[in-house]
Amino acid sequence: MEHLERCAWFLRGTLVRAAVRRYLPWALVASMLAGSLVKELSPLPESFLSNKRNVLNVYFVKVAWAWTFCLLLPFIALTNYHLTGRAGLVLRRLSTLLVGTAIWYVCTSLFSNIEHYTGSCYQSPALEGVREEHRSKQQCHREGGFWHGFDISGHSFLLTFCALMIVEEMAVLHEVKTDRSHCLHTAITALVVALGFLTFVWVWMFLCTAIYFHDLSQKVFGTLFGLLGWYGTYGFWYLKSFSPGLPPQSSSLILKQDSYKK
C-alpha cells in the first residue's frame, strides 16, 4: 500500500497540474510532427514497438476506449459523489463517458468510410495491378489482395482523445481529501495509479505511432480529430449549463452545482 501511495502522490504532482492540461495538447502535436519527421528522414530500425502485434498495441491500444471507459467510470463516480453527495450530479457527470463513446464511434466509423471510398484493391503491397472486382476492404483481404486508401490514423485520434480526457477528469483531485484509513481512499488511490499508468501508455504509444506508422497527413488528421473531440467538449460544450459539466474544482464547485440544477 505504501508503494501505491507514493505512485499516487507522484501522479497527483504531475498529471493533475493545470499546466499539464494546458500544454499536453501542444506536446502531443509536437511529438506527432517530430516522430513523423524521424519516420520520413531517418527511419528507425524495426523493433518490438514497430510490430503491430506487440503486447501494448494488442491488449491496450486496440481497446484504448474500453480501458479509458472502465477506469474513468468508477473514478468519476467516487470522486464526484465524495465532493457533491448528489447522485443526480454524479449521473450527469458520468454522461461524459456516453459522449466520449459517441465521439469514438462516429469518428472511427467516419475514418473507415473514408478509407473505403478513397481506396482500391491491389495485387501487392507495391500497389501493382488494381483488382477492380473487389469493391470493399474486407473482400479484398479475403481474396488475398491489399487495400490502399486514405487511412486516417485511428491510433492518433483515440490516444489523443483518451489521454486528454483522463487528464481533464483527474483535475478533480485538487479537491478530493479522504481519510487514509477509509476504504474510499484506497479505491481512489488505486484508480489514480491505474489512470496515471494508462495516460503514460497512451502518450508513449502515440509517439510510437508517429515514429513507425502512417503518413504524416493521416496522423495530422487523426490527431486533429482527437483534439477537436477534446476541445469541443471540455473546452466548449461542458462549460455550458446544458451539458455534463466539468469536474468540480475549487471555487467553481458551487457554481457548477447550481448550473447542473437548472
Side-chain angles (χ1 to χ4, degrees), residues 1-71:
M1 186 60 190
E2 183 180 349
H3 294 298
L4 201 65
E5 291 278 1
R6 289 179 179 177
C7 288
W9 175 82
F10 170 76
L11 292 168
R12 280 173 178 261
T14 52
L15 296 179
V16 182
R17 292 184 178 182
V20 173
R21 298 195 300 279
R22 186 180 307 118
Y23 295 116
L24 181 58
W26 297 106
L28 290 173
V29 171
S31 63
M32 181 269 294
L33 294 175
S36 299
L37 196 62
V38 170
K39 181 179 182 295
E40 296 298 325
L41 302 181
S42 181
L44 297 181
E46 291 188 3
S47 68
F48 167 78
L49 293 170
S50 66
N51 186 343
K52 292 183 178 181
R53 298 183 181 277
N54 73 69
V55 174
L56 290 176
N57 192 54
V58 173
Y59 294 105
F60 284 90
V61 179
K62 290 288 186 182
V63 285
W65 179 244
W67 278 108
T68 303
F69 186 103
C70 290
L71 289 178

Side-chain angles (χ1 to χ4, degrees), residues 56-122:
L56 290 176
N57 192 54
V58 173
Y59 294 105
F60 284 90
V61 179
K62 290 288 186 182
V63 285
W65 179 244
W67 278 108
T68 303
F69 186 103
C70 290
L71 289 178
L72 279 180
L73 178 63
F75 178 79
I76 293 174
L78 291 175
T79 55
N80 284 251
Y81 188 77
H82 174 70
L83 286 174
T84 66
R86 297 170 181 263
L89 298 184
V90 173
L91 289 175
R92 191 162 187 177
R93 290 257 41 256
L94 284 174
S95 65
T96 57
L97 297 175
L98 297 180
V99 174
T101 300
I103 291 173
W104 162 76
Y105 180 79
V106 169
C107 288
T108 53
S109 297
L110 176 63
F111 299 166
S112 180
N113 283 323
I114 289 174
E115 185 183 13
H116 171 75
Y117 288 112
T118 61
S120 297
C121 186
Y122 296 87

Side-chain angles (χ1 to χ4, degrees), residues 148-164:
H148 180 74
F150 189 69
D151 181 20
I152 296 177
S153 175
H155 281 23
S156 296
F157 153 70
L158 192 55
L159 296 176
T160 296
F161 182 66
C162 288
L164 292 174

Side-chain angles (χ1 to χ4, degrees), residues 16 21 75 166-175 247-249:
V16 182
R21 298 195 300 279
F75 178 79
I166 290 173
V167 169
E168 289 286 355
E169 291 298 335
M170 289 183 74
V172 76
L173 292 173
H174 281 300
E175 307 304 318
Q249 298 175 58

Side-chain angles (χ1 to χ4, degrees), residues 99-262:
V99 174
T101 300
I103 291 173
W104 162 76
Y105 180 79
V106 169
C107 288
T108 53
S109 297
L110 176 63
F111 299 166
S112 180
N113 283 323
I114 289 174
E115 185 183 13
H116 171 75
Y117 288 112
T118 61
S120 297
C121 186
Y122 296 87
Q123 293 180 0
S124 71
L127 306 184
E128 298 173 342
V130 178
R131 303 173 69 169
E132 297 287 355
E133 68 274 18
H134 304 315
R135 296 294 184 179
S136 71
K137 183 177 180 179
Q138 292 74 18
Q139 184 184 17
C140 178
H141 287 172
R142 190 165 52 247
E143 298 299 326
F146 298 86
W147 188 266
H148 180 74
F150 189 69
D151 181 20
I152 296 177
S153 175
H155 281 23
S156 296
F157 153 70
L158 192 55
L159 296 176
T160 296
F161 182 66
C162 288
L164 292 174
M165 184 174 182
I166 290 173
V167 169
E168 289 286 355
E169 291 298 335
M170 289 183 74
V172 76
L173 292 173
H174 281 300
E175 307 304 318
V176 175
K177 302 292 186 293
T178 56
D179 185 349
R180 296 187 64 173
S181 63
H182 199 283
C183 60
L184 177 64
H185 176 81
T186 303
I188 291 177
T189 299
L191 287 168
V192 168
V193 173
L195 285 167
F197 170 76
L198 209 58
T199 304
F200 284 118
V201 170
W202 294 165
V203 173
W204 175 249
M205 293 306 291
F206 176 87
L207 179 59
C208 291
T209 298
I211 293 174
Y212 290 111
F213 305 106
H214 288 282
D215 295 335
L216 173 61
S217 59
Q218 296 169 347
K219 288 176 285 194
V220 167
F221 274 99
T223 304
L224 181 61
F225 272 96
L227 292 173
L228 287 174
W230 158 73
Y231 186 78
T233 50
Y234 288 90
F236 181 73
W237 183 32
Y238 292 175
L239 299 176
K240 311 297 182 182
S241 59
F242 53 92
S243 74
L246 293 171
Q249 298 175 58
S250 60
S251 60
S252 66
L253 179 57
I254 302 302
L255 294 176
K256 291 299 177 188
Q257 291 177 348
D258 289 341
S259 67
Y260 291 169
K261 289 183 285 187
K262 291 180 180 179

